[in-house]
Amino acid sequence: VIRDAQTMASIWVSSHFMYLLVNVVQQHWQDKTLEDRIRAFRSLNLMIKFLSPSDAPQFLTQIIATVGMATAYETSAGLSDLEILKVWSVRLLAAENLSAYSKLLLKENIDVISLNLATMVVPLFPFLDGLDDNVSGNLKQESKIRTKAAETACSLLEDLTSGDVGKKLAGYFKEIPFLPSSPLLDGVRKNLISYGVDFSNLVAYSSSQGNTQSFLSGRESLSNDGVLNESFVSNDRREEAREKMMASLRDRLRLIRPLLDHESSSVRLATLQYLLDLMSTNRAIFCSVVEKEDPSSIATVLTVPYRKADYHGSQRVIASLLEGLLSMVAVESNREVKALLSKCFGEITAIDPRRLGTVATATDKTTKNKALNSSQDCRSWQLSRPPWQSSVSEYALRLLTKRLVVALKVATNSSEQHYAAYTIQQILVIVNDTCQREEKENSSKQEGKMSPWLNKQLKSANVLDVIEPYWESKFNEKSKTMASKTTQPPFFHQSLNYHIWISRWCRYMILRAHEDSACTWRGLLHACRTVVRSPSALSISEFIVPILVLERLCFGTPDDEAVIVQELKDVFKFSGSPAASSGPVVHMSHNEKQKAVTTAFNLIDTLKWWSNEEQEENLKHKSNRNSSAYGSTCWTRSKSVEKISDLLQHLSLESMASTAAAMGLHARALLCLETKARAGLAEAVFDTTSAKSKDNLCQMVTARHGLGNALLEGINISLLKEVLAKLDDYSTMKASAKNDRFLIFDENNIRERESRGDWAGALTDYERALRSHTTSGTRAELERGSLRCLLKIGLHENVLNQVNGIIHTNKNNKGGDTIKSVRHSIPTAVDAAWRLGRWDALDDLLKEYKHDEGLVDSEDVFKLELGKAMLGLHRHSKAEVDKAVQAGRD
């Protein structure tokens, strides 16, 4: 009877395991207290005991994601000792659950473990690092729990490396870059060595152990077996050992690289710590690897910005590592990981620019096509496939394999997981129905079964195990009425952050597309209506927004086109001052605005790329091409190109340049200004055929500086000069200065003087300009520049005196002009005050500063936070210093 009851319980739990996992463990995880999380993981442990071994493989991804939720909790976030103890209790239960699940797979599904070994082993790293037995008091119990978690993880690794299981899995352990340097793993290493897998080779010892070595500083060095050897006698043997160590380090770095993109912040943290130890312990070897790297391979970091590194290329180790670390800098949010990133860059130190080789301004056609067709990057793939040359199935499959799977894994709570799962469920149906309609032999179709073609595609992308459970899932929307919940335009001025803006805009365009039956893509777009609401699925919104915009331009009403144009104009209207906008004040922070501006530029770049490539192909193959649609899609080439051209004409290049400069995108601002300058000249050259126009062109070109004058006609010279100064492009400034209009602040080339470091001359010019300019906006900028020059020269007392005068004037005159002058001048005075050791004055200045989110300048913020840090050091206040340093980094 008991056996029958256990069998019935196993059947019930196996059939409802996903439902139980989501509702008992994952749902509202962020809102759960630590006690609730402990109860949830205990429940999961019981569920795994009743799970059938034959049904276990399909839940691998969800189990790994659940374990990742436990390790993602930061214990350094000001928690009490009791709370830290509970956090480690959750982690202990997570390790026990993963161990129980792995042992369940070992019974009947060892092949599943072999194919996903790295996925299962890498999440164990956080449990094996940082053990410390030298604790007492309240920390003693925490140490016991941490030790037990480490022993549980170690026990699992021993099961995977011993006996017949170890023999089968030994080859797959070679794809794991490292094991944590815990003494508990000595038995695991010994087992692997017996199978030919040596993790001791080039192992990085912790700096706290004091183990360092160098090939260039004495007799000690790591041998090929990973032990210190003092008996290198001949130079030939030393060189041979050196080459072996370099090869070993290259292999280790190549395996480390994919872990830098891991979904779990704890795994990324452990990986960076190991990388830091590896480079510091083997500094001489690492420098030799950099020297031996093919310069042309490192150059691709600059010439192919969207291409991912080839992890298996023997000549791209350092370039690949740099790409990964730089990518983390752009997207990482975990503070501990960011701190380790800084240490890693410090350990790498500077690489001679000459080692980058010859950097071309553009890649050749073959390299460009190879980069665009790369399966590693959705943006590059999208650039090569405009909708009129693609099908719904292609884009749907791309969303499934490259975007939705990632969104499902990185979801921070159950709601975001449900959004991604529901979208996966709908897109699977769309792709499967399309495949079955295109099959010629109807007899081969099976109702309720996944198409063999779709199954093959998902399997080749290594996501079948993740996506297949959602083929039979039954997610439903609570409400079928989307229109009533969709915010109406305009969106940018109503949004508090970037995610709210992009999600609302996308949902609005999806709704409009769904109401229009003219486009066959509306089903795919409508399937994305829920996932765009998830903050963890921002990449999906950014991926589909070019399609949504072009779909509304081609198949929408004039009102739809007007909404798109107005949204882009609102994004590019920001110029650093709320007063510059005639509409409502944007509530986004500077960083959020920068994300919105970058997305808008990427949208325009994508549409422009599609249009330019299509026009180029038309010119090359004019006789063999027509404007008809591609395959069964509804898009037409000619109309799409025409609509893109109309959209670009509505946008002001000067506004785009001003916004880009205000956001710190100076290269982009220069590109916009150059495009505007050349557009007018190109029209005069290429769009006229009369003999008179040609004669005028010849006279303009032959006249001294005539062509330069023509190029600079109609553009914002002041903005151009400021952008060139920010880019340190002195040669262009010098060449353009011959133009009469390239002078700001009367006849003084202030920006040019600053760019070449002539601060005394720039100060003289600023003082002259201040005497002749009285307008508030210009005067505030002139005062700021004058103070900057005084600071550069070293006249710190003068800076303080002038700023005190500006503050006194502000107290007597409460107008907005003097407030702006004070806001711009105080950061420079703060810099001068701490250099002089005037701590009371520094304290007064920091209290006087009134922060305005709409006028954030990164240089000013840095000066202010640096001043706060210096004041904290003077007061011996660690809290003030830490707060200021963190704010300065952010």
Side-chain angles (χ1 to χ4, degrees):
V1 175
I2 294 177
R3 183 174 301 176
D4 291 341
Q6 289 178 341
T7 303
M8 295 298 294
S10 177
I11 295 173
W12 186 86
V13 170
S14 299
S15 60
H16 297 83
F17 189 84
M18 179 63 76
Y19 175 84
L20 294 171
L21 180 63
V22 170
N23 288 276
V24 176
V25 182
Q26 296 179 348
Q27 190 173 25
H28 304 303
W29 177 262
Q30 297 296 331
D31 299 329
K32 281 184 169 69
T33 63
L34 290 171
E35 291 81 1
D36 292 337
R37 295 181 182 186
I38 292 174
R39 284 191 288 269
F41 272 104
R42 286 175 178 168
S43 301
L44 178 59
N45 193 279
L46 291 174
M47 291 160 51
I48 293 175
K49 290 180 179 179
F50 286 101
L51 181 61
S52 171
S54 59
D55 294 326
Q58 60 181 310
F59 306 113
L60 174 64
T61 303
Q62 290 294 331
I63 294 293
I64 297 298
T66 305
V67 173
M69 290 160 56
T71 59
Y73 204 97
E74 293 188 36
T75 57
S76 61
L79 301 179
S80 65
D81 291 344
L82 180 60
E83 289 173 328
I84 293 177
L85 184 65
K86 292 178 181 178
V87 169
W88 274 103
S89 298
V90 174
R91 293 184 176 182
L92 171 59
L93 289 169
E96 292 175 346
N97 289 333
L98 182 59
S99 177
Y101 180 75
S102 301
K103 292 176 180 179
L104 191 65
L105 290 176
L106 286 174
K107 294 180 179 179
E108 298 181 6
N109 301 280
I110 191 171
D111 291 338
V112 174
I113 293 182
S114 63
L115 295 176
N116 299 275
L117 185 63
T119 305
M120 299 179 66
V121 171
V122 169
L124 296 174
F125 291 172
F127 302 114
L128 295 164
D129 274 339
L131 295 179
D132 187 4
D133 295 330
N134 299 321
V135 295
S136 60
N138 296 331
L139 298 179
K140 191 68 176 178
Q141 191 173 1
E142 176 194 341
S143 178
K144 290 181 180 179
I145 296 177
R146 296 179 66 171
T147 302
K148 188 175 181 180
E151 291 173 348
T152 302
C154 182
S155 176
L156 173 58
L157 289 174
E158 289 178 351
D159 291 339
L160 297 176
T161 57
S162 59
D164 294 336
V165 174
K167 291 180 181 179
K168 293 180 180 179
L169 299 179
Y172 297 95
F173 268 96
K174 294 180 180 179
E175 299 302 318
I176 298 174
F178 68 96
L179 289 179
S181 56
S182 171
L184 294 174
L185 297 178
D186 291 343
V188 174
R189 293 191 182 91
K190 188 179 296 184
N191 291 338
L192 290 173
I193 289 175
S194 66
Y195 300 129
V197 181
D198 188 2
F199 278 99
S200 299
N201 185 21
L202 209 68
V203 66
Y205 293 92
S206 173
S207 58
S208 62
Q209 296 174 322
N211 294 327
T212 59
Q213 73 280 344
S214 171
F215 278 106
L216 304 177
S217 59
R219 300 166 58 195
E220 291 187 340
S221 174
L222 279 176
S223 72
N224 192 42
D225 296 328
V227 297
L228 286 172
N229 193 336
E230 301 182 7
S231 59
F232 286 125
V233 179
S234 66
N235 290 332
D236 292 339
R237 291 187 61 188
R238 288 171 61 87
E239 188 63 29
E240 180 183 356
R242 174 173 172 157
E243 291 295 334
K244 290 181 179 179
M245 295 298 290
M246 289 171 58
S248 182
L249 180 58
R250 284 195 194 96
D251 292 339
R252 193 61 53 86
L253 292 175
R254 187 181 302 113
L255 292 175
I256 287 174
R257 171 60 183 91
L259 293 184
L260 298 178
D261 300 326
H262 199 275
E263 295 88 356
S264 172
S265 60
S266 297
V267 173
R268 297 195 301 273
L269 190 67
T271 302
L272 286 174
Q273 184 61 62
Y274 176 78
L275 176 62
L276 183 62
D277 290 342
L278 188 68
M279 291 188 298
S280 60
T281 308
N282 303 281
R283 165 127 295 284
I285 309 173
F286 181 78
C287 292
S288 298
V289 171
V290 174
E291 292 173 358
K292 295 290 185 180
E293 177 108 351
D294 181 11
S296 61
S297 67
I298 304 182
T300 57
V301 177
L302 301 179
T303 57
V304 188
Y306 296 117
R307 193 181 77 175
K308 293 286 186 181
D310 180 7
Y311 301 146
H312 304 287
S314 60
Q315 300 300 321
R316 282 190 44 79
V317 179
I318 304 301
S320 172
L321 183 67
L322 288 174
E323 288 177 357
L325 293 174
L326 291 171
S327 299
M328 291 182 70
V329 170
V331 301
E332 188 58 60
S333 58
N334 186 287
R335 293 187 176 184
E336 296 180 13
V337 176
K338 291 167 80 173
L340 275 181
L341 270 174
S342 301
K343 293 181 180 179
C344 284
F345 280 115
E347 193 63 42
I348 292 173
T349 68
I351 296 179
D352 189 346
R354 289 173 293 182
R355 296 202 56 77
L356 298 177
T358 303
V359 181
T361 56
T363 55
D364 57 86
K365 194 73 174 179
T366 303
T367 305
K368 182 171 63 176
N369 289 336
K370 182 179 178 181
L372 291 179
N373 292 327
S374 171
S375 61
Q376 299 295 328
D377 184 59
C378 280
R379 174 162 168 76
S380 300
W381 181 90
Q382 188 178 42
L383 288 174
S384 66
R385 286 169 176 80
W388 57 85
Q389 293 182 6
S390 306
S391 63
V392 178
S393 298
E394 284 184 284
Y395 267 82
L397 192 63
R398 194 71 184 183
L399 274 172
L400 279 174
T401 58
K402 297 299 180 182
R403 294 300 192 195
L404 285 166
V405 169
V406 176
L408 185 67
K409 290 181 178 180
V410 302
T412 57
N413 53 57
S414 59
S415 297
E416 294 182 7
Q417 287 181 336
H418 292 163
Y419 291 153
Y422 183 45
T423 304
I424 290 173
Q425 172 185 294
Q426 294 179 90
I427 293 181
L428 280 174
V429 175
I430 293 173
V431 178
N432 194 70
D433 291 346
T434 303
C435 295
Q436 291 189 347
R437 284 197 301 268
E438 294 177 354
E439 288 180 354
K440 296 182 180 180
E441 298 179 3
N442 295 328
S443 58
S444 64
K445 294 194 297 185
Q446 297 180 358
E447 294 295 333
K449 297 291 184 179
M450 185 182 294
S451 166
W453 178 86
L454 177 57
N455 187 287
K456 181 180 179 181
Q457 294 297 319
L458 297 178
K459 189 173 183 179
S460 63
N462 297 321
V463 296
L464 181 61
D465 294 339
V466 181
I467 291 180
E468 191 173 26
Y470 301 103
W471 172 251
E472 297 181 354
S473 59
K474 303 295 182 183
F475 288 99
N476 290 304
E477 285 184 288
K478 292 182 180 179
S479 175
K480 298 294 184 180
T481 58
M482 178 182 171
S484 61
K485 296 183 179 181
T486 303
T487 307
Q488 298 301 308
F491 303 104
F492 186 74
H493 289 313
Q494 301 178 20
S495 303
L496 295 176
N497 57 50
Y498 166 67
H499 166 250
I500 294 177
W501 170 67
I502 192 70
S503 62
R504 286 178 176 177
W505 191 24
C506 285
R507 278 177 61 83
Y508 173 79
M509 290 189 288
I510 289 172
L511 171 65
R512 297 291 297 166
H514 186 63
E515 295 173 349
D516 191 348
S517 60
C519 183
T520 57
W521 288 57
R522 67 191 188 107
L524 172 62
L525 299 176
H526 191 249
C528 300
R529 65 192 180 279
T530 55
V531 75
V532 297
R533 298 166 59 185
S534 171
S536 61
L538 271 174
S539 60
I540 296 176
S541 300
E542 294 166 352
F543 181 72
I544 66 173
V545 71
I547 298 293
L548 287 169
V549 168
L550 189 56
E551 190 276 337
R552 286 294 82 203
L553 292 176
C554 292
F555 304 103
T557 64
D559 291 339
D560 292 327
E561 182 176 355
V563 169
I564 293 171
V565 172
Q566 188 58 47
E567 281 302 310
L568 293 176
K569 284 185 176 180
D570 288 343
V571 174
F572 293 130
K573 192 181 295 182
F574 173 75
S575 60
S577 172
S581 175
S582 58
V585 176
V586 182
H587 297 288
M588 288 187 190
S589 66
H590 180 82
N591 290 338
E592 296 297 311
K593 289 175 184 175
Q594 193 174 49
K595 295 176 185 177
V597 171
T598 301
T599 295
F601 274 122
N602 288 339
L603 166 63
I604 292 173
D605 288 345
T606 301
L607 296 177
K608 192 182 297 184
W609 178 279
W610 287 346
S611 177
N612 293 343
E613 288 292 301
E614 181 60 32
Q615 293 181 68
E616 183 178 346
E617 291 298 322
N618 281 335
L619 294 175
K620 289 182 178 179
H621 311 285
K622 191 171 183 179
S623 58
N624 299 326
R625 289 171 65 86
N626 54 61
S627 61
S628 61
Y630 170 86
S632 61
T633 186
C634 57
W635 303 89
T636 57
R637 296 186 176 99
S638 58
K639 185 176 182 180
S640 299
V641 173
E642 179 185 351
K643 289 295 183 179
I644 293 174
S645 178
D646 292 343
L647 173 65
L648 297 178
Q649 290 179 2
H650 282 94
L651 303 177
S652 168
L653 287 170
E654 187 166 329
S655 295
M656 294 165 64
S658 300
T659 302
M663 294 291 103
L665 308 175
H666 303 298
R668 172 72 72 171
L670 181 60
L671 178 62
C672 293
L673 291 173
E674 184 179 351
T675 302
K676 181 180 180 181
R678 293 185 181 277
L681 184 62
E683 183 177 357
V685 174
F686 297 105
D687 293 349
T688 57
T689 56
S690 64
K692 182 178 180 180
S693 297
K694 292 181 179 180
D695 293 339
N696 292 337
L697 176 63
C698 293
Q699 294 176 4
M700 180 177 63
V701 173
T702 55
R704 185 179 182 183
H705 310 314
L707 188 57
N709 285 327
L711 279 172
L712 296 177
E713 285 296 329
I715 67 172
N716 189 333
I717 299 297
S718 176
L719 177 61
L720 175 60
K721 201 159 191 177
E722 180 179 354
V723 169
L724 291 174
K726 290 289 186 180
L727 295 173
D728 294 327
D729 193 350
Y730 172 67
S731 58
T732 303
M733 292 180 66
K734 184 177 181 180
S736 303
K738 298 176 182 178
N739 182 277
D740 295 337
R741 295 184 64 247
F742 204 79
L743 298 174
I744 58 175
F745 305 144
D746 294 328
E747 299 178 354
N748 304 301
N749 292 322
I750 299 178
R751 296 294 186 187
E752 181 182 345
R753 292 182 182 274
E754 288 183 332
S755 66
R756 65 172 184 255
D758 183 10
W759 300 108
L763 177 61
T764 302
D765 291 344
Y766 272 123
E767 291 174 347
R768 291 175 181 174
L770 279 168
R771 288 195 291 269
S772 58
H773 287 75
T774 57
T775 57
S776 59
T778 304
R779 188 168 187 83
E781 290 298 327
L782 290 174
E783 289 175 345
R784 185 183 186 186
S786 176
L787 292 171
R788 182 171 60 249
C789 292
L790 287 172
L791 189 65
K792 291 288 185 180
I793 295 172
L795 302 177
H796 301 139
E797 286 285 356
N798 292 19
V799 173
L800 288 180
N801 292 335
Q802 288 199 23
V803 173
N804 287 332
I806 295 174
I807 294 175
H808 180 73
T809 303
N810 175 55
K811 292 180 179 179
N812 295 331
N813 181 9
K814 296 296 184 180
D817 300 342
T818 53
I819 293 176
K820 184 177 181 181
S821 296
V822 171
R823 186 184 298 115
H824 284 321
S825 61
I826 285 181
T828 306
V830 167
D831 204 348
W834 72 259
R835 293 177 187 275
L836 290 170
R838 302 275 292 276
W839 306 113
D840 293 338
L842 176 59
D843 190 23
D844 294 339
L845 287 168
L846 292 173
K847 293 178 180 178
E848 186 71 31
Y849 185 79
K850 300 297 189 297
H851 181 70
D852 188 341
E853 187 62 43
L855 294 171
V856 173
D857 184 279
S858 58
E859 184 179 355
D860 287 349
V861 172
F862 178 78
K863 289 178 179 177
L864 290 167
E865 299 303 332
L866 180 58
K868 292 178 183 178
M870 291 298 179
L871 186 59
L873 288 173
H874 175 70
R875 293 172 174 173
H876 304 287
S877 173
K878 184 177 182 298
E880 291 183 18
V881 174
D882 290 342
K883 183 179 179 181
V885 170
Q886 189 58 52
R889 286 175 176 172
D890 295 339

